[in-house]
Amino acid sequence: SYPVVVQVTDKHGQKARAHTNTEVTDSDPVKNSRIDAIRPPTAVLESVPKETRPKEVVDFDASKSKDMYGKPCVSFLWDFGDGTPKVTTTEPYTTHPYAESGTYPVTVVGTDKFKQTGEASVNQRVR
């Protein structure tokens, strides 16, 4: 698994980062037929809206997170990046309000039925 990070800068000089882990596999079907090669899930995280105001609720969506067979993850550990306690859910959706302005690194760790984990993050902006 390899970490992939992207950083963008808009025309106003504002920066944002996102990262995920990606798996590179051999395309040889003989090598890929090993039954003992359980790979971790691919985690995906999106937030709506991308920018909000203090005390407004943000919707977080990790529903595109899938195990090696394309099945949904079975649990999700959410870290909202603002010092509040982490939250575990069995559904890939959650919400969270932010008390103060800032940019918060939000992370979700998806766990599949094989107890393998994958992580994704977004920066949530609160103005």
Side-chain angles (χ1 to χ4, degrees):
S1 181
Y2 295 92
V4 178
V5 178
V6 62
Q7 180 170 330
V8 296
T9 305
D10 69 13
K11 65 183 179 181
H12 305 291
Q14 298 294 315
K15 295 180 180 181
R17 290 178 50 146
H19 81 269
T20 187
N21 290 325
T22 190
E23 184 75 28
V24 178
T25 59
D26 192 323
S27 61
D28 182 347
V30 173
K31 291 180 182 176
N32 284 337
S33 65
R34 293 179 31 180
I35 59 171
D36 62 340
I38 296 176
R39 294 185 305 277
T42 300
V44 178
L45 177 58
E46 297 174 343
S47 66
V48 176
K50 304 283 185 219
E51 187 174 302
T52 188
R53 295 179 186 266
K55 303 198 185 336
E56 290 182 349
V57 173
V58 180
D59 295 311
F60 293 101
D61 179 352
S63 64
K64 293 179 184 173
S65 302
K66 306 290 181 191
D67 71 10
M68 65 185 278
Y69 298 111
K71 302 291 184 189
C73 290
V74 297
S75 72
F76 302 86
L77 176 63
W78 305 88
D79 183 344
F80 301 108
D82 60 355
T84 59
K86 294 179 182 180
V87 175
T88 301
T89 64
T90 56
E91 294 296 321
Y93 308 100
T94 194
T95 61
H96 186 75
Y98 288 90
E100 299 178 11
S101 297
T103 300
Y104 298 94
V106 182
T107 303
V108 65
V109 177
T111 303
D112 66 16
K113 67 181 180 182
F114 304 107
K115 306 293 186 225
Q116 299 287 312
T117 60
E119 181 178 311
S121 67
V122 297
N123 283 331
Q124 182 61 44
R125 294 180 65 185
V126 180
R127 292 195 172 257

